[in-house]
């Protein structure tokens, strides 16, 4: 089974966006060296801990420092953009790195209400998501739906599309359009099994895909010992809690633990339901079991270790264990 990497380009506490971009390059290079299928980056805005907001720019930079691994968006939040703009951006990426570019598409804003305003996003744009996907797909196929308008670069590139989601909406849309479906079970696990079942049942073959293809997200922390992996998980839980609910304040470890014990903090536990934590062999065993549970054709792993060095080690240990 193919296994891939989801990189949120985390800005670590005390670190900078420059550090985060360098870490993303190092992570992609390690993933390429160790045999992972692809690396995807997610579009988020106004989040102090994530450096992948200009997703296509980050992909271009990482592409220049790698040679073979597939790179893409997991995903572009299409309601934030015109389909033509995304077709041109990913057409350009495909021209730079032929045969290596993926385009995952999501419907969520990837931001809050104020950020939506700053993006000049129409409140109703999410309602046009299915039509925008078709318009984008047509640009990339060289079959524009807007008379006299082509994506250059992009026309005829046929960059493969993926529908991302965490609900039944994305599953039924991906099935209707005959596109691969990537479920965000690494942070929104509730609807994984019913959504995948509906997608497989309702799938209609298309020019891109003749049978259903499911990618499921999962978290992982692999370390040399179980104790070290658990320590990294504890640190990540604190970072997540402060980042989501700390409202810009600094917290001691004790204060972060109290936040985790609150109803809001317990949401972190629910988000990380599907997490492989332990030594390399233990992580690999968990991934194999989870793939069967999710009825997935491919897994995309969000390596959650707190530091760049720990994430790189986690990638290496996981790859070695999966290869055994």
């Amino acid at each position: 089974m193919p296994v891939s990497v989801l990189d949120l380009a985390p800005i670590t506490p005390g670190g900078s966006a420059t550090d985060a971009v360098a870490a993303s390059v190092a992570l992609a290079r390690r993933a390429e060296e160790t045999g992972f299928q692809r690396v995807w980056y997610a579009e988020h805005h106004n989040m102090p801990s994530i450096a992948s907001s200009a997703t296509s720019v980050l992909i271009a930079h990482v592409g220049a420092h790698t040679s073979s691994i597939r790179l893409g968006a997991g995903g572009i939040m299409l309601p934030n953009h015109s389909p033509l703009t995304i077709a041109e951006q990913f057409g350009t990426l495909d021209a730079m790195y032929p045969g290596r570019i993926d385009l995952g598409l999501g419907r969520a804003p990837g931001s809050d209400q104020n950020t939506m305003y700053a993006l000049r996003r129409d409140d109703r744009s999410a309602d046009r998501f299915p039509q925008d996907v078709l318009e984008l797909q047509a640009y990339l196929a060289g079959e524009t739906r807007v008379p006299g308008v082509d994506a250059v670069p992009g026309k005829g590139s046929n960059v493969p599309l993926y529908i991302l989601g965490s609900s039944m909406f994305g599953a039924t849309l991906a099935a209707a359009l005959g596109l691969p479906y990537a479920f965000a079970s690494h942070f929104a696990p509730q609807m994984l099994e019913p959504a995948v079942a509906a997608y497989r049942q309702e799938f209609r073959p298309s020019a891109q895909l003749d049978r259903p293809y499911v990618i499921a997200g999962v978290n992982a922390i692999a370390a040399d010992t179980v104790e070290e992996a658990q320590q990294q998980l504890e640190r990540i839980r604190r970072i997540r809690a402060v980042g989501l609910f700390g409202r810009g304040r600094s917290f001691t470890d004790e204060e972060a633990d109290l936040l985790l014990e609150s109803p809001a903090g317990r949401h972190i536990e629910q988000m990380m339901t599907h997490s492989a934590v332990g030594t390399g062999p233990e992580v690999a065993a968990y991934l194999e079991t989870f793939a069967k549970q999710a009825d997935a054709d491919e897994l995309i792993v969000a390596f959650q270790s707190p530091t760049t060095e720990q994430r790189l080690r986690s990638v290496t240990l996981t790859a070695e264990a999966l290869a055994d």
Side-chain angles (χ1 to χ4, degrees), residues 30 36 220-223 232 276 278 280 283 303-305 308-320:
R30 182 65 56 87
F36 285 84
I221 297 175
Q232 291 182 27
V283 167
F303 287 96
Q304 296 286 358
S305 297
T308 301
E309 293 74 19
Q310 289 168 336
R311 279 197 300 281
L312 295 177
R313 182 64 176 156
S314 188
V315 168
T316 299
L317 290 172
T318 301
E320 290 174 350

mmCIF file with all atom_site columns, all heavy atoms in Angstrom, residues 30 36 220-223 232 276 278 280 283 303-305 308-320:
data_model
loop_
_atom_site.group_PDB
_atom_site.id
_atom_site.type_symbol
_atom_site.label_atom_id
_atom_site.label_alt_id
_atom_site.label_comp_id
_atom_site.label_asym_id
_atom_site.label_entity_id
_atom_site.label_seq_id
_atom_site.pdbx_PDB_ins_code
_atom_site.Cartn_x
_atom_site.Cartn_y
_atom_site.Cartn_z
_atom_site.occupancy
_atom_site.B_iso_or_equiv
_atom_site.pdbx_formal_charge
_atom_site.auth_seq_id
_atom_site.auth_comp_id
_atom_site.auth_asym_id
_atom_site.auth_atom_id
_atom_site.pdbx_PDB_model_num
ATOM 1   N N   . ARG A 1 30  ? 13.721 13.735 2.975  1.00 0.00 ? 30  ARG A N   1
ATOM 2   C CA  . ARG A 1 30  ? 13.769 12.474 3.722  1.00 0.00 ? 30  ARG A CA  1
ATOM 3   C C   . ARG A 1 30  ? 12.668 11.524 3.247  1.00 0.00 ? 30  ARG A C   1
ATOM 4   O O   . ARG A 1 30  ? 12.899 10.312 3.105  1.00 0.00 ? 30  ARG A O   1
ATOM 5   C CB  . ARG A 1 30  ? 13.639 12.756 5.218  1.00 0.00 ? 30  ARG A CB  1
ATOM 6   C CG  . ARG A 1 30  ? 13.736 11.513 6.117  1.00 0.00 ? 30  ARG A CG  1
ATOM 7   C CD  . ARG A 1 30  ? 15.117 10.850 6.057  1.00 0.00 ? 30  ARG A CD  1
ATOM 8   N NE  . ARG A 1 30  ? 16.176 11.776 6.403  1.00 0.00 ? 30  ARG A NE  1
ATOM 9   C CZ  . ARG A 1 30  ? 16.593 12.012 7.648  1.00 0.00 ? 30  ARG A CZ  1
ATOM 10  N NH1 . ARG A 1 30  ? 16.030 11.376 8.663  1.00 0.00 ? 30  ARG A NH1 1
ATOM 11  N NH2 . ARG A 1 30  ? 17.585 12.859 7.863  1.00 0.00 ? 30  ARG A NH2 1
ATOM 12  N N   . PHE A 1 36  ? 8.488  7.223  0.352  1.00 0.00 ? 36  PHE A N   1
ATOM 13  C CA  . PHE A 1 36  ? 7.084  7.619  0.461  1.00 0.00 ? 36  PHE A CA  1
ATOM 14  C C   . PHE A 1 36  ? 6.550  8.050  -0.904 1.00 0.00 ? 36  PHE A C   1
ATOM 15  O O   . PHE A 1 36  ? 7.304  8.482  -1.773 1.00 0.00 ? 36  PHE A O   1
ATOM 16  C CB  . PHE A 1 36  ? 6.924  8.744  1.482  1.00 0.00 ? 36  PHE A CB  1
ATOM 17  C CG  . PHE A 1 36  ? 7.031  8.268  2.907  1.00 0.00 ? 36  PHE A CG  1
ATOM 18  C CD1 . PHE A 1 36  ? 8.267  8.105  3.516  1.00 0.00 ? 36  PHE A CD1 1
ATOM 19  C CD2 . PHE A 1 36  ? 5.891  7.945  3.632  1.00 0.00 ? 36  PHE A CD2 1
ATOM 20  C CE1 . PHE A 1 36  ? 8.368  7.649  4.824  1.00 0.00 ? 36  PHE A CE1 1
ATOM 21  C CE2 . PHE A 1 36  ? 5.975  7.486  4.936  1.00 0.00 ? 36  PHE A CE2 1
ATOM 22  C CZ  . PHE A 1 36  ? 7.220  7.337  5.535  1.00 0.00 ? 36  PHE A CZ  1
ATOM 23  N N   . ALA A 1 220 ? 1.155  10.209 13.244 1.00 0.00 ? 220 ALA A N   1
ATOM 24  C CA  . ALA A 1 220 ? 2.181  9.255  13.657 1.00 0.00 ? 220 ALA A CA  1
ATOM 25  C C   . ALA A 1 220 ? 3.314  9.958  14.384 1.00 0.00 ? 220 ALA A C   1
ATOM 26  O O   . ALA A 1 220 ? 3.708  11.073 14.029 1.00 0.00 ? 220 ALA A O   1
ATOM 27  C CB  . ALA A 1 220 ? 2.731  8.487  12.457 1.00 0.00 ? 220 ALA A CB  1
ATOM 28  N N   . ILE A 1 221 ? 3.808  9.289  15.420 1.00 0.00 ? 221 ILE A N   1
ATOM 29  C CA  . ILE A 1 221 ? 5.045  9.663  16.107 1.00 0.00 ? 221 ILE A CA  1
ATOM 30  C C   . ILE A 1 221 ? 5.826  8.381  16.324 1.00 0.00 ? 221 ILE A C   1
ATOM 31  O O   . ILE A 1 221 ? 5.417  7.521  17.117 1.00 0.00 ? 221 ILE A O   1
ATOM 32  C CB  . ILE A 1 221 ? 4.781  10.349 17.459 1.00 0.00 ? 221 ILE A CB  1
ATOM 33  C CG1 . ILE A 1 221 ? 4.030  11.667 17.274 1.00 0.00 ? 221 ILE A CG1 1
ATOM 34  C CG2 . ILE A 1 221 ? 6.092  10.589 18.209 1.00 0.00 ? 221 ILE A CG2 1
ATOM 35  C CD1 . ILE A 1 221 ? 3.634  12.339 18.590 1.00 0.00 ? 221 ILE A CD1 1
ATOM 36  N N   . ALA A 1 222 ? 6.921  8.217  15.618 1.00 0.00 ? 222 ALA A N   1
ATOM 37  C CA  . ALA A 1 222 ? 7.803  7.066  15.801 1.00 0.00 ? 222 ALA A CA  1
ATOM 38  C C   . ALA A 1 222 ? 9.098  7.551  16.430 1.00 0.00 ? 222 ALA A C   1
ATOM 39  O O   . ALA A 1 222 ? 9.677  8.546  16.000 1.00 0.00 ? 222 ALA A O   1
ATOM 40  C CB  . ALA A 1 222 ? 8.083  6.380  14.465 1.00 0.00 ? 222 ALA A CB  1
ATOM 41  N N   . ALA A 1 223 ? 9.543  6.840  17.457 1.00 0.00 ? 223 ALA A N   1
ATOM 42  C CA  . ALA A 1 223 ? 10.783 7.192  18.145 1.00 0.00 ? 223 ALA A CA  1
ATOM 43  C C   . ALA A 1 223 ? 11.536 5.908  18.466 1.00 0.00 ? 223 ALA A C   1
ATOM 44  O O   . ALA A 1 223 ? 11.041 4.801  18.260 1.00 0.00 ? 223 ALA A O   1
ATOM 45  C CB  . ALA A 1 223 ? 10.491 7.994  19.410 1.00 0.00 ? 223 ALA A CB  1
ATOM 46  N N   . GLN A 1 232 ? 6.953  12.845 23.283 1.00 0.00 ? 232 GLN A N   1
ATOM 47  C CA  . GLN A 1 232 ? 6.689  13.727 22.139 1.00 0.00 ? 232 GLN A CA  1
ATOM 48  C C   . GLN A 1 232 ? 5.194  13.962 21.977 1.00 0.00 ? 232 GLN A C   1
ATOM 49  O O   . GLN A 1 232 ? 4.754  15.078 21.692 1.00 0.00 ? 232 GLN A O   1
ATOM 50  C CB  . GLN A 1 232 ? 7.275  13.115 20.871 1.00 0.00 ? 232 GLN A CB  1
ATOM 51  C CG  . GLN A 1 232 ? 8.788  13.086 20.831 1.00 0.00 ? 232 GLN A CG  1
ATOM 52  C CD  . GLN A 1 232 ? 9.329  12.520 19.535 1.00 0.00 ? 232 GLN A CD  1
ATOM 53  O OE1 . GLN A 1 232 ? 8.674  12.602 18.493 1.00 0.00 ? 232 GLN A OE1 1
ATOM 54  N NE2 . GLN A 1 232 ? 10.516 11.938 19.582 1.00 0.00 ? 232 GLN A NE2 1
ATOM 55  N N   . ALA A 1 276 ? -0.724 6.827  15.503 1.00 0.00 ? 276 ALA A N   1
ATOM 56  C CA  . ALA A 1 276 ? 0.215  5.730  15.714 1.00 0.00 ? 276 ALA A CA  1
ATOM 57  C C   . ALA A 1 276 ? 1.403  6.277  16.494 1.00 0.00 ? 276 ALA A C   1
ATOM 58  O O   . ALA A 1 276 ? 2.123  7.149  15.999 1.00 0.00 ? 276 ALA A O   1
ATOM 59  C CB  . ALA A 1 276 ? 0.677  5.167  14.376 1.00 0.00 ? 276 ALA A CB  1
ATOM 60  N N   . GLY A 1 278 ? 4.763  5.191  18.994 1.00 0.00 ? 278 GLY A N   1
ATOM 61  C CA  . GLY A 1 278 ? 5.604  4.135  19.559 1.00 0.00 ? 278 GLY A CA  1
ATOM 62  C C   . GLY A 1 278 ? 6.882  3.981  18.777 1.00 0.00 ? 278 GLY A C   1
ATOM 63  O O   . GLY A 1 278 ? 7.358  4.915  18.125 1.00 0.00 ? 278 GLY A O   1
ATOM 64  N N   . GLY A 1 280 ? 9.221  2.240  15.699 1.00 0.00 ? 280 GLY A N   1
ATOM 65  C CA  . GLY A 1 280 ? 8.919  2.062  14.281 1.00 0.00 ? 280 GLY A CA  1
ATOM 66  C C   . GLY A 1 280 ? 8.019  0.875  13.998 1.00 0.00 ? 280 GLY A C   1
ATOM 67  O O   . GLY A 1 280 ? 6.986  1.014  13.316 1.00 0.00 ? 280 GLY A O   1
ATOM 68  N N   . VAL A 1 283 ? 4.451  1.580  15.170 1.00 0.00 ? 283 VAL A N   1
ATOM 69  C CA  . VAL A 1 283 ? 3.764  2.520  14.280 1.00 0.00 ? 283 VAL A CA  1
ATOM 70  C C   . VAL A 1 283 ? 3.341  1.818  12.998 1.00 0.00 ? 283 VAL A C   1
ATOM 71  O O   . VAL A 1 283 ? 2.210  1.982  12.517 1.00 0.00 ? 283 VAL A O   1
ATOM 72  C CB  . VAL A 1 283 ? 4.663  3.738  13.987 1.00 0.00 ? 283 VAL A CB  1
ATOM 73  C CG1 . VAL A 1 283 ? 4.105  4.554  12.820 1.00 0.00 ? 283 VAL A CG1 1
ATOM 74  C CG2 . VAL A 1 283 ? 4.778  4.615  15.232 1.00 0.00 ? 283 VAL A CG2 1
ATOM 75  N N   . PHE A 1 303 ? 3.180  13.476 10.387 1.00 0.00 ? 303 PHE A N   1
ATOM 76  C CA  . PHE A 1 303 ? 4.176  13.195 11.409 1.00 0.00 ? 303 PHE A CA  1
ATOM 77  C C   . PHE A 1 303 ? 4.185  14.345 12.405 1.00 0.00 ? 303 PHE A C   1
ATOM 78  O O   . PHE A 1 303 ? 4.463  15.487 12.055 1.00 0.00 ? 303 PHE A O   1
ATOM 79  C CB  . PHE A 1 303 ? 5.550  12.987 10.768 1.00 0.00 ? 303 PHE A CB  1
ATOM 80  C CG  . PHE A 1 303 ? 5.667  11.678 10.047 1.00 0.00 ? 303 PHE A CG  1
ATOM 81  C CD1 . PHE A 1 303 ? 5.453  11.601 8.681  1.00 0.00 ? 303 PHE A CD1 1
ATOM 82  C CD2 . PHE A 1 303 ? 5.951  10.506 10.737 1.00 0.00 ? 303 PHE A CD2 1
ATOM 83  C CE1 . PHE A 1 303 ? 5.535  10.388 8.011  1.00 0.00 ? 303 PHE A CE1 1
ATOM 84  C CE2 . PHE A 1 303 ? 6.034  9.286  10.082 1.00 0.00 ? 303 PHE A CE2 1
ATOM 85  C CZ  . PHE A 1 303 ? 5.827  9.223  8.709  1.00 0.00 ? 303 PHE A CZ  1
ATOM 86  N N   . GLN A 1 304 ? 3.880  14.039 13.662 1.00 0.00 ? 304 GLN A N   1
ATOM 87  C CA  . GLN A 1 304 ? 3.529  15.071 14.631 1.00 0.00 ? 304 GLN A CA  1
ATOM 88  C C   . GLN A 1 304 ? 4.620  15.406 15.639 1.00 0.00 ? 304 GLN A C   1
ATOM 89  O O   . GLN A 1 304 ? 4.362  16.147 16.586 1.00 0.00 ? 304 GLN A O   1
ATOM 90  C CB  . GLN A 1 304 ? 2.264  14.641 15.393 1.00 0.00 ? 304 GLN A CB  1
ATOM 91  C CG  . GLN A 1 304 ? 1.026  14.522 14.541 1.00 0.00 ? 304 GLN A CG  1
ATOM 92  C CD  . GLN A 1 304 ? 0.458  15.870 14.137 1.00 0.00 ? 304 GLN A CD  1
ATOM 93  O OE1 . GLN A 1 304 ? 0.964  16.921 14.514 1.00 0.00 ? 304 GLN A OE1 1
ATOM 94  N NE2 . GLN A 1 304 ? -0.593 15.852 13.338 1.00 0.00 ? 304 GLN A NE2 1
ATOM 95  N N   . SER A 1 305 ? 5.809  14.882 15.493 1.00 0.00 ? 305 SER A N   1
ATOM 96  C CA  . SER A 1 305 ? 6.850  15.148 16.488 1.00 0.00 ? 305 SER A CA  1
ATOM 97  C C   . SER A 1 305 ? 7.118  16.644 16.611 1.00 0.00 ? 305 SER A C   1
ATOM 98  O O   . SER A 1 305 ? 7.012  17.394 15.631 1.00 0.00 ? 305 SER A O   1
ATOM 99  C CB  . SER A 1 305 ? 8.132  14.409 16.110 1.00 0.00 ? 305 SER A CB  1
ATOM 100 O OG  . SER A 1 305 ? 7.916  13.010 16.119 1.00 0.00 ? 305 SER A OG  1
ATOM 101 N N   . THR A 1 308 ? 12.017 19.412 14.246 1.00 0.00 ? 308 THR A N   1
ATOM 102 C CA  . THR A 1 308 ? 12.360 18.928 12.905 1.00 0.00 ? 308 THR A CA  1
ATOM 103 C C   . THR A 1 308 ? 13.160 17.641 12.981 1.00 0.00 ? 308 THR A C   1
ATOM 104 O O   . THR A 1 308 ? 12.895 16.683 12.242 1.00 0.00 ? 308 THR A O   1
ATOM 105 C CB  . THR A 1 308 ? 13.163 20.000 12.144 1.00 0.00 ? 308 THR A CB  1
ATOM 106 O OG1 . THR A 1 308 ? 12.384 21.187 12.048 1.00 0.00 ? 308 THR A OG1 1
ATOM 107 C CG2 . THR A 1 308 ? 13.521 19.517 10.753 1.00 0.00 ? 308 THR A CG2 1
ATOM 108 N N   . GLU A 1 309 ? 14.147 17.585 13.854 1.00 0.00 ? 309 GLU A N   1
ATOM 109 C CA  . GLU A 1 309 ? 14.980 16.389 13.965 1.00 0.00 ? 309 GLU A CA  1
ATOM 110 C C   . GLU A 1 309 ? 14.147 15.179 14.363 1.00 0.00 ? 309 GLU A C   1
ATOM 111 O O   . GLU A 1 309 ? 14.336 14.072 13.836 1.00 0.00 ? 309 GLU A O   1
ATOM 112 C CB  . GLU A 1 309 ? 16.097 16.623 14.995 1.00 0.00 ? 309 GLU A CB  1
ATOM 113 C CG  . GLU A 1 309 ? 17.136 17.649 14.588 1.00 0.00 ? 309 GLU A CG  1
ATOM 114 C CD  . GLU A 1 309 ? 16.621 19.089 14.667 1.00 0.00 ? 309 GLU A CD  1
ATOM 115 O OE1 . GLU A 1 309 ? 15.591 19.340 15.372 1.00 0.00 ? 309 GLU A OE1 1
ATOM 116 O OE2 . GLU A 1 309 ? 17.226 19.963 14.024 1.00 0.00 ? 309 GLU A OE2 1
ATOM 117 N N   . GLN A 1 310 ? 13.211 15.374 15.281 1.00 0.00 ? 310 GLN A N   1
ATOM 118 C CA  . GLN A 1 310 ? 12.350 14.269 15.696 1.00 0.00 ? 310 GLN A CA  1
ATOM 119 C C   . GLN A 1 310 ? 11.417 13.834 14.574 1.00 0.00 ? 310 GLN A C   1
ATOM 120 O O   . GLN A 1 310 ? 11.154 12.633 14.409 1.00 0.00 ? 310 GLN A O   1
ATOM 121 C CB  . GLN A 1 310 ? 11.553 14.671 16.939 1.00 0.00 ? 310 GLN A CB  1
ATOM 122 C CG  . GLN A 1 310 ? 12.408 14.780 18.193 1.00 0.00 ? 310 GLN A CG  1
ATOM 123 C CD  . GLN A 1 310 ? 11.684 15.446 19.339 1.00 0.00 ? 310 GLN A CD  1
ATOM 124 O OE1 . GLN A 1 310 ? 10.734 16.227 19.143 1.00 0.00 ? 310 GLN A OE1 1
ATOM 125 N NE2 . GLN A 1 310 ? 12.107 15.176 20.568 1.00 0.00 ? 310 GLN A NE2 1
ATOM 126 N N   . ARG A 1 311 ? 10.903 14.784 13.784 1.00 0.00 ? 311 ARG A N   1
ATOM 127 C CA  . ARG A 1 311 ? 10.042 14.412 12.646 1.00 0.00 ? 311 ARG A CA  1
ATOM 128 C C   . ARG A 1 311 ? 10.829 13.618 11.620 1.00 0.00 ? 311 ARG A C   1
ATOM 129 O O   . ARG A 1 311 ? 10.334 12.625 11.079 1.00 0.00 ? 311 ARG A O   1
ATOM 130 C CB  . ARG A 1 311 ? 9.420  15.656 12.001 1.00 0.00 ? 311 ARG A CB  1
ATOM 131 C CG  . ARG A 1 311 ? 8.211  16.183 12.728 1.00 0.00 ? 311 ARG A CG  1
ATOM 132 C CD  . ARG A 1 311 ? 7.385  17.128 11.869 1.00 0.00 ? 311 ARG A CD  1
ATOM 133 N NE  . ARG A 1 311 ? 8.125  18.286 11.424 1.00 0.00 ? 311 ARG A NE  1
ATOM 134 C CZ  . ARG A 1 311 ? 8.367  19.352 12.163 1.00 0.00 ? 311 ARG A CZ  1
ATOM 135 N NH1 . ARG A 1 311 ? 7.929  19.399 13.412 1.00 0.00 ? 311 ARG A NH1 1
ATOM 136 N NH2 . ARG A 1 311 ? 9.040  20.372 11.681 1.00 0.00 ? 311 ARG A NH2 1
ATOM 137 N N   . LEU A 1 312 ? 12.052 14.037 11.337 1.00 0.00 ? 312 LEU A N   1
ATOM 138 C CA  . LEU A 1 312 ? 12.867 13.317 10.358 1.00 0.00 ? 312 LEU A CA  1
ATOM 139 C C   . LEU A 1 312 ? 13.162 11.896 10.847 1.00 0.00 ? 312 LEU A C   1
ATOM 140 O O   . LEU A 1 312 ? 13.115 10.930 10.069 1.00 0.00 ? 312 LEU A O   1
ATOM 141 C CB  . LEU A 1 312 ? 14.166 14.067 10.096 1.00 0.00 ? 312 LEU A CB  1
ATOM 142 C CG  . LEU A 1 312 ? 14.037 15.435 9.431  1.00 0.00 ? 312 LEU A CG  1
ATOM 143 C CD1 . LEU A 1 312 ? 15.399 16.104 9.302  1.00 0.00 ? 312 LEU A CD1 1
ATOM 144 C CD2 . LEU A 1 312 ? 13.387 15.324 8.062  1.00 0.00 ? 312 LEU A CD2 1
ATOM 145 N N   . ARG A 1 313 ? 13.459 11.779 12.132 1.00 0.00 ? 313 ARG A N   1
ATOM 146 C CA  . ARG A 1 313 ? 13.700 10.452 12.698 1.00 0.00 ? 313 ARG A CA  1
ATOM 147 C C   . ARG A 1 313 ? 12.436 9.607  12.628 1.00 0.00 ? 313 ARG A C   1
ATOM 148 O O   . ARG A 1 313 ? 12.490 8.404  12.322 1.00 0.00 ? 313 ARG A O   1
ATOM 149 C CB  . ARG A 1 313 ? 14.162 10.596 14.154 1.00 0.00 ? 313 ARG A CB  1
ATOM 150 C CG  . ARG A 1 313 ? 14.506 9.270  14.844 1.00 0.00 ? 313 ARG A CG  1
ATOM 151 C CD  . ARG A 1 313 ? 15.683 8.600  14.192 1.00 0.00 ? 313 ARG A CD  1
ATOM 152 N NE  . ARG A 1 313 ? 16.069 7.383  14.916 1.00 0.00 ? 313 ARG A NE  1
ATOM 153 C CZ  . ARG A 1 313 ? 16.725 6.378  14.349 1.00 0.00 ? 313 ARG A CZ  1
ATOM 154 N NH1 . ARG A 1 313 ? 17.086 6.427  13.067 1.00 0.00 ? 313 ARG A NH1 1
ATOM 155 N NH2 . ARG A 1 313 ? 17.044 5.320  15.072 1.00 0.00 ? 313 ARG A NH2 1
ATOM 156 N N   . SER A 1 314 ? 11.300 10.216 12.880 1.00 0.00 ? 314 SER A N   1
ATOM 157 C CA  . SER A 1 314 ? 10.026 9.507  12.820 1.00 0.00 ? 314 SER A CA  1
ATOM 158 C C   . SER A 1 314 ? 9.752  8.977  11.414 1.00 0.00 ? 314 SER A C   1
ATOM 159 O O   . SER A 1 314 ? 9.311  7.836  11.236 1.00 0.00 ? 314 SER A O   1
ATOM 160 C CB  . SER A 1 314 ? 8.909  10.446 13.265 1.00 0.00 ? 314 SER A CB  1
ATOM 161 O OG  . SER A 1 314 ? 7.686  9.777  13.412 1.00 0.00 ? 314 SER A OG  1
ATOM 162 N N   . VAL A 1 315 ? 10.023 9.802  10.404 1.00 0.00 ? 315 VAL A N   1
ATOM 163 C CA  . VAL A 1 315 ? 9.852  9.372  9.013  1.00 0.00 ? 315 VAL A CA  1
ATOM 164 C C   . VAL A 1 315 ? 10.755 8.181  8.714  1.00 0.00 ? 315 VAL A C   1
ATOM 165 O O   . VAL A 1 315 ? 10.324 7.178  8.116  1.00 0.00 ? 315 VAL A O   1
ATOM 166 C CB  . VAL A 1 315 ? 10.151 10.541 8.057  1.00 0.00 ? 315 VAL A CB  1
ATOM 167 C CG1 . VAL A 1 315 ? 10.270 10.053 6.619  1.00 0.00 ? 315 VAL A CG1 1
ATOM 168 C CG2 . VAL A 1 315 ? 9.066  11.608 8.164  1.00 0.00 ? 315 VAL A CG2 1
ATOM 169 N N   . THR A 1 316 ? 12.005 8.272  9.116  1.00 0.00 ? 316 THR A N   1
ATOM 170 C CA  . THR A 1 316 ? 12.968 7.202  8.835  1.00 0.00 ? 316 THR A CA  1
ATOM 171 C C   . THR A 1 316 ? 12.560 5.900  9.515  1.00 0.00 ? 316 THR A C   1
ATOM 172 O O   . THR A 1 316 ? 12.555 4.829  8.884  1.00 0.00 ? 316 THR A O   1
ATOM 173 C CB  . THR A 1 316 ? 14.374 7.628  9.299  1.00 0.00 ? 316 THR A CB  1
ATOM 174 O OG1 . THR A 1 316 ? 14.767 8.787  8.592  1.00 0.00 ? 316 THR A OG1 1
ATOM 175 C CG2 . THR A 1 316 ? 15.382 6.504  9.048  1.00 0.00 ? 316 THR A CG2 1
ATOM 176 N N   . LEU A 1 317 ? 12.221 5.978  10.800 1.00 0.00 ? 317 LEU A N   1
ATOM 177 C CA  . LEU A 1 317 ? 11.847 4.766  11.531 1.00 0.00 ? 317 LEU A CA  1
ATOM 178 C C   . LEU A 1 317 ? 10.590 4.122  10.955 1.00 0.00 ? 317 LEU A C   1
ATOM 179 O O   . LEU A 1 317 ? 10.495 2.899  10.851 1.00 0.00 ? 317 LEU A O   1
ATOM 180 C CB  . LEU A 1 317 ? 11.628 5.109  13.002 1.00 0.00 ? 317 LEU A CB  1
ATOM 181 C CG  . LEU A 1 317 ? 12.873 5.471  13.811 1.00 0.00 ? 317 LEU A CG  1
ATOM 182 C CD1 . LEU A 1 317 ? 12.475 5.988  15.192 1.00 0.00 ? 317 LEU A CD1 1
ATOM 183 C CD2 . LEU A 1 317 ? 13.815 4.290  13.938 1.00 0.00 ? 317 LEU A CD2 1
ATOM 184 N N   . THR A 1 318 ? 9.625  4.951  10.577 1.00 0.00 ? 318 THR A N   1
ATOM 185 C CA  . THR A 1 318 ? 8.393  4.418  9.994  1.00 0.00 ? 318 THR A CA  1
ATOM 186 C C   . THR A 1 318 ? 8.661  3.737  8.660  1.00 0.00 ? 318 THR A C   1
ATOM 187 O O   . THR A 1 318 ? 8.163  2.632  8.398  1.00 0.00 ? 318 THR A O   1
ATOM 188 C CB  . THR A 1 318 ? 7.354  5.550  9.818  1.00 0.00 ? 318 THR A CB  1
ATOM 189 O OG1 . THR A 1 318 ? 7.073  6.132  11.087 1.00 0.00 ? 318 THR A OG1 1
ATOM 190 C CG2 . THR A 1 318 ? 6.066  5.027  9.203  1.00 0.00 ? 318 THR A CG2 1
ATOM 191 N N   . ALA A 1 319 ? 9.447  4.385  7.826  1.00 0.00 ? 319 ALA A N   1
ATOM 192 C CA  . ALA A 1 319 ? 9.767  3.809  6.511  1.00 0.00 ? 319 ALA A CA  1
ATOM 193 C C   . ALA A 1 319 ? 10.519 2.490  6.659  1.00 0.00 ? 319 ALA A C   1
ATOM 194 O O   . ALA A 1 319 ? 10.230 1.512  5.956  1.00 0.00 ? 319 ALA A O   1
ATOM 195 C CB  . ALA A 1 319 ? 10.589 4.789  5.700  1.00 0.00 ? 319 ALA A CB  1
ATOM 196 N N   . GLU A 1 320 ? 11.473 2.441  7.574  1.00 0.00 ? 320 GLU A N   1
ATOM 197 C CA  . GLU A 1 320 ? 12.234 1.203  7.779  1.00 0.00 ? 320 GLU A CA  1
ATOM 198 C C   . GLU A 1 320 ? 11.326 0.086  8.248  1.00 0.00 ? 320 GLU A C   1
ATOM 199 O O   . GLU A 1 320 ? 11.442 -1.069 7.790  1.00 0.00 ? 320 GLU A O   1
ATOM 200 C CB  . GLU A 1 320 ? 13.348 1.452  8.790  1.00 0.00 ? 320 GLU A CB  1
ATOM 201 C CG  . GLU A 1 320 ? 14.481 2.331  8.276  1.00 0.00 ? 320 GLU A CG  1
ATOM 202 C CD  . GLU A 1 320 ? 15.501 2.685  9.339  1.00 0.00 ? 320 GLU A CD  1
ATOM 203 O OE1 . GLU A 1 320 ? 15.235 2.411  10.539 1.00 0.00 ? 320 GLU A OE1 1
ATOM 204 O OE2 . GLU A 1 320 ? 16.562 3.236  8.987  1.00 0.00 ? 320 GLU A OE2 1
#
